[in-house]
């Protein structure tokens, strides 16, 4: 019998800033919507392990979308007429996330983003706190300078190789080689200039150092950063979390791409966070969780069939 | 192990030679470094080692620079304390990668000269330098 992942992929048309974006997303699970934001220059495949995880899927509808220009989402149709290079702005990024959630009729989703997807959580908390129920900011801080540089998009330099290799050292040397190189591969596949353009948001347009204190605290925010992250060090996350009301900060022995570079380790660190979010929002947990009663989130790995499914052999 | 452990601390020419032989024994570099031809300097404290690379293999190493070298393409210069951490089997955070060490947030390593060939060959160079962990 053939083996399939339980993930389902679809395209949705998202309106944002006067344009329509055919947007690819993948999902699995039921319960609280958990919208996952990929890192700069890559796509939702970074969440493939979490999308397949039966323990998470019991209580969360896990959704990972590809931003316009990324993965299987295409650029706007007139991109070839642009008079400036591609640059992701804080405004567009926030508005697109909100527009995507509305396009899927999601009610108060949890957002989990890593790297630039983690940093944008601060902007969401500042401007869109009523749209979400919790934020999980992986490898996030209030200011990440130094990455909007020309070598990452230069006609004399192989974009895929340089982009992927420039982020390789952000991973823990103790993360499994298989997954570190899979993460490298995602980066190598980005469109020309997209990684650099995303880093315009990451390093230039999103300086929240003077804004963190303005976050109301209405939304719980969980910061998680790996000790090998040299773009957003544990100290940078800790300093940020100290300024943000109703936040928690967890430092763990990993790197900048926890969801894809070491999914087993990530499961250990994210499980208590997801339990807390469930505790804050018990009535929205998935049917799988309700049937199963106490969810055993300790079991590792993915399953080939949805957890919580009752099977009787006769 | 003790021999390599003690000589690693000095990062002398003999240590550089062992690393260069390790590079030339590598079976991946001839593939990913096929077009990596360059002359770069590895700076350890005040000592400069000129490394001449052709097709991903190190052809020549030299301690110190002379006028006859006519310069070099790019230099990677760091204190021996930083190279020491970088070359550990499991290097500590912020020292596990040359771009990590060179990033403006950390500034443990200086990339100088013409950085275009540095970026062009980053994948092969990263592999090459990571073999310091096997010396």
């Amino acid at each position: 019998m053939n083996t399939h992942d339980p993930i389902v992929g679809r395209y949705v048309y998202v309106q944002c800033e006067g344009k329509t974006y055919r947007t690819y997303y993948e999902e699995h699970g039921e319960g609280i919507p958990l919208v996952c934001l990929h890192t700069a220059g890559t796509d939702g495949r970074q969440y493939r392990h979490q999308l397949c995880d039966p323990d998470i899927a019991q209580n969360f509808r896990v959704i990972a979308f590809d931003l316009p220009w990324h993965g299987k989402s295409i650029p706007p149709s007139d991109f070839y007429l642009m008079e400036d290079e591609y640059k992701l702005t804080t405004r567009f990024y926030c508005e697109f996330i909100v527009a995507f959630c509305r396009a899927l009729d999601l009610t108060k989703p949890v957002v989990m983003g890593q790297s630039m997807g983690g940093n944008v959580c601060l902007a969401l908390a500042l401007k869109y706190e009523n749209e979400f129920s919790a934020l999980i900011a992986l490898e996030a801080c209030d200011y990440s300078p130094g990455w909007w540089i020309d070598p990452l998009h230069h006609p004399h330099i192989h974009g895929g190789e340089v982009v992927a290799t420039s982020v390789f050292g952000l991973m823990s040397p103790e993360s499994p080689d298989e997954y570190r190189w899979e993460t490298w591969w995602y980066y190598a596949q980005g469109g020309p200039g997209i990684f650099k353009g995303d880093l315009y948001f990451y390093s230039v347009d999103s300086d929240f150092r003077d804004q963190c204190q303005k976050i109301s605290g209405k939304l719980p925010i969980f910061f998680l950063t790996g000790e090998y992250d040299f773009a957003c060090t544990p100290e940078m996350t800790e300093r940020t979390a100290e300024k943000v009301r109703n936040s928690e900060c967890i430092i763990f022995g990993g790197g900048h791409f926890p969801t894809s570079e070491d999914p087993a380790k990530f499961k250990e660190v994210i499980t208590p966070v997801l339990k807390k979010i469930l505790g804050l929002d018990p009535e929205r947990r998935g049917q799988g969780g309700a049937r199963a009663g106490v969810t055993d989130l300790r079991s590792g790995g993915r399953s080939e069939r949805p957890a919580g499914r009752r099977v009787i052999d006769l | 192990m003790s021999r390599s452990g003690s000589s690693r601390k000095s990062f002398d020419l003999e240590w550089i030679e062992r690393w260069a032989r390790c590079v030339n024994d590598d079976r991946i570099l001839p593939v990913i470094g096929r077009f990596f031809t360059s002359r770069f300097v590895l700076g350890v404290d005040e000592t400069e080692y000129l490394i001449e690379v052709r097709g991903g293999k190190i052809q020549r190493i030299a301690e110190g620079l002379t006028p006859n070298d006519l310069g070099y393409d790019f230099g990677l210069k760091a204190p021996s304390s930083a190279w020491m951490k970088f070359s550990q089997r499991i290097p500590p955070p912020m020292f596990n990668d040359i771009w990590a060490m060179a990033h403006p947030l950390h500034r443990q390593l200086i990339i100088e000269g013409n950085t275009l060939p540095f970026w062009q060959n980053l994948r092969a160079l990263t592999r090459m330098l990571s073999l310091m962990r096997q010396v």
Side-chain angles (χ1 to χ4, degrees):
Chain A
M1 187 179 164
N2 292 330
T3 302
H4 285 85
D5 276 347
I7 301 170
V8 174
R10 294 190 72 182
Y11 293 88
V12 63
Y13 289 83
V14 178
Q15 313 288 329
C16 189
E17 292 190 352
K19 290 187 177 177
T20 301
Y21 293 91
R22 181 174 183 262
T23 304
Y24 180 71
Y25 69 98
E26 297 180 339
E27 68 167 295
H28 175 59
E30 54 183 306
I32 301 171
L34 176 61
V35 176
C36 301
L37 310 179
H38 58 73
T39 64
T42 59
D43 56 69
R45 287 176 296 176
Q46 285 178 319
Y47 289 95
R48 73 176 180 93
H49 299 280
Q50 295 72 43
L51 280 159
C52 290
D53 191 315
D55 300 323
I56 299 175
Q58 274 190 336
N59 291 301
F60 292 92
R61 179 183 173 194
V62 186
I63 303 164
F65 70 87
D66 298 347
L67 272 173
W69 304 83
H70 299 70
K72 296 172 95 162
S73 297
I74 47 180
S77 58
D78 59 351
F79 81 91
Y80 59 95
L81 297 173
M82 280 172 51
E83 295 180 1
D84 191 9
E85 61 185 323
Y86 165 78
K87 288 178 192 157
L88 181 66
T89 63
T90 309
R91 185 177 135 179
F92 178 86
Y93 195 9
C94 288
E95 289 184 5
F96 193 87
I97 294 165
V98 172
F100 173 82
C101 293
R102 288 179 183 162
L104 264 63
D105 292 323
L106 305 179
T107 305
K108 296 262 183 183
V110 175
V111 166
M112 175 164 73
Q114 58 189 326
S115 185
M116 72 168 191
N119 285 13
V120 82
C121 286
L122 294 169
L124 296 176
L126 282 161
K127 293 180 189 164
Y128 296 99
E129 64 176 11
N130 294 323
E131 298 282 335
F132 306 102
S133 60
L135 301 170
I136 304 171
L138 309 173
E139 317 303 321
C141 60
D142 53 10
Y143 181 52
S144 315
W147 285 89
W148 193 57
I149 55 174
D150 284 339
L152 301 174
H153 184 210
H154 190 290
H156 294 180
I157 300 170
H158 188 292
E161 293 214 337
V162 78
V163 161
T165 308
S166 73
V167 300
F168 195 77
L170 288 163
M171 291 182 269
S172 166
E174 299 197 88
S175 294
D177 283 343
E178 171 190 358
Y179 293 136
R180 284 196 300 161
W181 283 98
E182 184 179 309
T183 304
W184 185 95
W185 185 255
Y186 297 155
Y187 270 87
Q189 290 188 309
I194 302 308
F195 178 58
K196 185 197 165 195
D198 284 347
L199 296 176
Y200 176 79
F201 161 78
Y202 186 66
S203 284
V204 180
D205 202 38
S206 65
D207 182 347
F208 302 111
R209 283 174 293 182
D210 295 329
Q211 298 181 61
C212 284
Q213 296 89 339
K214 296 175 189 163
I215 292 172
S216 75
K218 182 177 175 183
L219 273 178
I221 305 181
F222 300 89
F223 292 96
L224 294 90
T225 289
E227 62 182 2
Y228 273 89
D229 191 336
F230 73 83
C232 165
T233 64
E235 295 74 27
M236 291 161 77
T237 302
E238 285 166 344
R239 267 201 318 268
T240 303
E242 280 169 14
K243 294 192 271 183
V244 176
R245 291 185 192 89
N246 196 12
S247 72
E248 274 187 44
C249 182
I250 299 153
I251 306 301
F252 60 94
H256 189 77
F257 308 104
T259 64
S260 64
E261 74 172 80
D262 193 346
K265 166 82 76 176
F266 181 64
K267 183 162 182 172
E268 287 172 19
V269 296
I270 201 62
T271 294
V273 172
L274 295 178
K275 273 186 176 172
K276 280 183 187 173
I277 290 172
L278 277 178
L280 295 169
D281 202 355
E283 64 276 11
R284 291 208 299 162
R285 67 188 308 158
Q287 291 303 305
R291 272 201 303 274
V294 177
T295 306
D296 183 3
L297 289 163
R298 287 169 301 174
S299 56
R302 36 177 268 237
S303 163
E304 289 169 22
R305 64 185 182 204
R309 179 181 172 205
R310 298 180 66 198
V311 177
I312 299 169
D313 292 319
L314 299 171
Chain B
M1 284 302 288
S2 61
R3 194 173 67 102
S4 67
S6 59
S7 57
R8 171 175 293 177
K9 284 175 191 164
S10 65
F11 287 105
D12 54 14
L13 188 64
E14 287 68 36
W15 187 91
I16 298 288
E17 183 190 355
R18 283 202 298 282
W19 164 66
R21 292 193 184 284
C22 201
V23 166
N24 290 348
D25 286 343
D26 188 62
R27 298 180 63 171
I28 296 173
L29 268 169
V31 182
I32 64 171
R34 188 174 149 215
F35 299 107
F36 182 17
T37 295
S38 179
R39 298 164 73 251
F40 69 92
V41 158
L42 215 54
V44 183
D45 295 329
E46 301 306 313
T47 308
E48 293 174 314
Y49 296 101
L50 181 63
I51 315 291
E52 298 191 18
V53 179
R54 177 163 291 278
K57 285 190 179 280
I58 297 177
Q59 289 200 317
R60 190 163 177 256
I61 55 174
E63 185 176 358
L65 295 169
T66 74
N68 295 340
D69 293 322
L70 299 172
Y72 51 90
D73 293 331
F74 62 91
L76 306 174
K77 299 185 177 178
S80 53
S81 57
W83 286 119
M84 185 92 79
K85 290 176 183 170
F86 176 84
S87 58
Q88 287 175 18
R89 252 182 69 77
I90 301 291
M94 315 303 145
F95 290 91
N96 58 315
D97 177 75
I98 36 175
W99 174 226
M101 297 202 299
H103 190 278
L105 281 173
H106 308 297
R107 299 186 191 280
Q108 293 291 324
L109 177 143
I110 294 167
I111 308 168
E112 59 159 46
N114 177 10
T115 56
L116 184 61
F118 166 83
W119 290 105
Q120 285 172 324
N121 296 288
L122 189 62
R123 184 180 176 193
L125 183 64
T126 297
R127 168 90 189 162
M128 191 176 270
L129 295 173
S130 73
L131 294 171
M132 289 182 175
R133 293 165 192 147
Q134 294 179 19
V135 179

